[in-house]
Amino acid sequence: MSAGEAVAGPDGAPRCPWALSTADYVTYHDEEWGRAVHGDVALFERLSLEAFQSGLSWITILRRREGFRAAFAGFSIPEVAAFTDADRERLLGDAGIIRNRAKIDATLANARVLAGWAPGELDELIWSHAPDPAGRPAPKTLADVPAVTPESTALSKALKKRGLRFVGPTTAYALMQACGLVNDHLSRCVTRSAL
């Protein structure tokens, strides 16, 4: 077996190796990562969390997700768009989230931009960048999984052009992976065939 190939999990089923370091990752990998996510609120949450993850381990974000949801009003776009300077200061002091000023400011600014969009517009824009799955072979090892693709670069440019922040090509690709626009479960991973 090559490094980075699917490995047996606690139940003996092969999984992507990154998923096996913690029980939280196993659950996330098996039940969420790579499954289709639709809806502006759900996608705003994922986009925001991917931005907060930038430079950090995903497990850090995953373990604070409920804190993020509480702090950001369940990622209700109109509610977050209406946050005041007092809310911003509250967020900067909230130990239940990542207290990064630039990422908090980007989330608030993004909500204000998205509040002006038509319902379903974020969903439509993101999903319009999903690549043709027939054009991508299933990755055999982690080395076969890219960090950036032409589609994620195009999505990043489209989001930035519309005024969104903290949406670089790597963040856009992580969003695409997490929300099921691409299936980057390894070829032998038990979850790949379940999608």
Side-chain angles (χ1 to χ4, degrees):
M1 178 167 55
S2 302
E5 283 187 0
V7 295
D11 58 0
R15 287 182 176 80
C16 302
W18 64 263
L20 299 175
S21 61
T22 72
D24 292 335
Y25 266 163
V26 173
T27 301
Y28 176 70
H29 170 273
D30 289 0
E31 298 176 9
E32 290 187 63
W33 193 74
R35 296 185 186 271
V37 174
H38 285 282
D40 292 344
V41 172
L43 289 167
F44 174 53
E45 175 182 349
R46 296 292 182 92
L47 187 64
S48 300
L49 294 179
E50 293 295 348
F52 272 100
Q53 186 271 331
S54 181
L56 301 171
S57 167
W58 179 247
I59 197 68
T60 302
I61 304 304
L62 191 59
R63 289 181 174 159
R64 294 182 182 185
R65 184 161 53 174
E66 291 309 316
F68 277 106
R69 287 174 174 164
F72 286 98
F75 290 94
S76 164
I77 293 169
E79 288 186 53
V80 177
F83 276 14
T84 64
D85 287 342
D87 290 308
R88 180 177 178 270
E89 291 306 310
R90 171 185 55 80
L91 292 168
L92 288 168
D94 189 335
I97 66 169
I98 304 301
R99 295 172 287 183
N100 179 295
R101 184 179 308 275
K103 294 174 183 180
I104 289 169
D105 288 346
T107 302
L108 300 180
N110 289 348
R112 291 178 187 121
V113 168
L114 293 172
W117 291 19
E121 195 170 349
L122 178 62
D123 189 298
E124 183 179 329
L125 176 64
I126 289 173
W127 278 90
S128 72
H129 289 83
D132 178 1
R136 298 187 67 212
K140 292 179 182 173
T141 71
L142 293 179
D144 298 330
V145 178
V148 174
T149 64
E151 294 86 2
S152 75
T153 300
L155 175 57
S156 171
K157 286 180 182 177
L159 292 168
K160 287 179 181 178
K161 184 177 180 181
R162 300 287 303 271
L164 298 182
R165 296 167 36 188
F166 250 97
V167 289
T170 303
T171 297
Y173 193 66
L175 176 76
M176 293 171 81
Q177 291 174 304
C179 294
L181 281 76
V182 296
N183 183 353
D184 276 344
H185 286 280
L186 301 183
S187 58
R188 291 187 56 247
C189 176
V190 67
T191 305
R192 182 177 185 85
S193 60
L195 298 179

